[in-house]
Amino acid sequence: RGFFVAKNMDAERKLINEQEPDSQLQIMKFGGSSVGKVDGIHNIGDIVSNERLNGQVIVVVSALNGTTNSLFEITDHIKKGEEKEARKIFMNTMAKHFDIAEQLNMSPYLKEQAMLQIARTGLKLDGEIQDAEGNSNNKLDRIASFGETLSMGLVAWYLRYRGVNAIAVDASTFVRTNSEFGKAVPLWNETGVAARRRLNPLLKSR
């Protein structure tokens, strides 16, 4: 059975409507307070480990508690040209995720993989902060989305530690919106098609 961690989004309702009645697919959403502390991630592991016995599970996670606010602070500093302040918040955000990965007490290999995924995401975020695109709404939206990308890898590797065959799937690979950056609206039909194309093969392979 497969278990997937995707970024915070509402498109999951499209997936539910497209499943066969007997598919027993569950979609579980955990907000920022659930993934903000080590005990919260332990609780996610308990819940998903139990529910996997009843069928396949898609886990949707928000950013770690407080991370989205930190990312918005980064975008505010970028708008003002305050690169030093933006980088300080960036470094603190990364340290927070590395610290939680350390405290989860996973096996050495899984802890290393979790930290590598956090680091890869951090490099992408750092690139967004430093690129030459300035303070366009498109860029600022992308920066604000990194909180969920950071948390999904952390939770996915912890679920593996708990014996759950989890795969981290970034919802930005299938969620579609209009181009009004800064106040974009989801395109549900396009998102539903893309989500099924992305997730169904993973579900069927498990």
Side-chain angles (χ1 to χ4, degrees):
R1 291 187 170 104
F3 303 87
F4 308 89
V5 180
K7 283 198 332 185
N8 181 13
M9 45 85 188
D10 294 321
E12 61 264 26
R13 61 189 178 191
K14 291 287 185 178
L15 295 175
I16 295 174
N17 292 338
E18 293 296 327
Q19 296 301 316
E20 296 297 328
D22 60 351
S23 66
Q24 297 184 2
L25 173 65
Q26 297 185 72
I27 297 176
M28 309 179 72
K29 165 70 185 298
F30 297 96
S33 59
S34 298
V35 293
K37 296 181 179 179
V38 172
D39 288 347
I41 297 176
H42 287 166
N43 188 50
I44 292 174
D46 291 340
I47 293 171
V48 176
S49 295
N50 290 329
E51 291 299 326
R52 65 176 176 157
L53 301 177
N54 300 319
Q56 293 180 306
V57 179
I58 291 179
V59 178
V60 183
V61 294
S62 296
L64 266 62
N65 196 27
T67 298
T68 300
N69 287 339
S70 295
L71 294 172
F72 280 129
E73 288 178 19
I74 288 174
T75 63
D76 287 340
H77 287 304
I78 290 174
K79 290 177 183 178
K80 299 173 183 177
E82 298 170 346
E83 180 179 349
K84 182 178 179 180
E85 288 80 0
R87 290 199 58 75
K88 181 179 180 180
I89 298 173
F90 163 73
M91 295 301 293
N92 289 338
T93 299
M94 297 306 301
K96 176 181 179 180
H97 288 78
F98 285 127
D99 185 54
I100 289 182
E102 183 73 39
Q103 293 181 53
L104 285 171
N105 293 322
M106 295 180 280
S107 66
Y109 171 76
L110 292 176
K111 181 176 73 173
E112 178 183 16
Q113 294 305 307
M115 289 192 168
L116 283 173
Q117 184 152 351
I118 292 169
R120 285 192 290 267
T121 302
L123 286 174
K124 293 179 182 178
L125 174 56
D126 192 33
E128 291 284 1
I129 293 171
Q130 296 190 60
D131 78 4
E133 193 177 342
N135 60 357
S136 71
N137 285 332
N138 188 358
K139 171 182 174 175
L140 300 181
D141 280 355
R142 292 197 304 270
I143 290 174
S145 75
F146 270 87
E148 288 84 3
T149 308
L150 286 164
S151 66
M152 72 173 186
L154 186 62
V155 173
W157 285 108
Y158 179 70
L159 288 177
R160 281 181 172 263
Y161 172 68
R162 295 293 299 268
V164 178
N165 190 17
I167 300 175
V169 180
D170 189 337
S172 68
T173 61
F174 57 81
V175 172
R176 304 290 184 260
T177 72
N178 62 19
S179 58
E180 295 182 30
F181 302 113
K183 52 180 180 179
V185 175
L187 302 175
W188 292 115
N189 290 336
E190 291 87 338
T191 294
V193 170
R196 292 190 291 276
R197 185 182 300 120
R198 179 74 177 92
L199 297 180
N200 282 348
L202 297 176
L203 291 166
K204 291 177 181 177
S205 69
R206 284 171 151 67

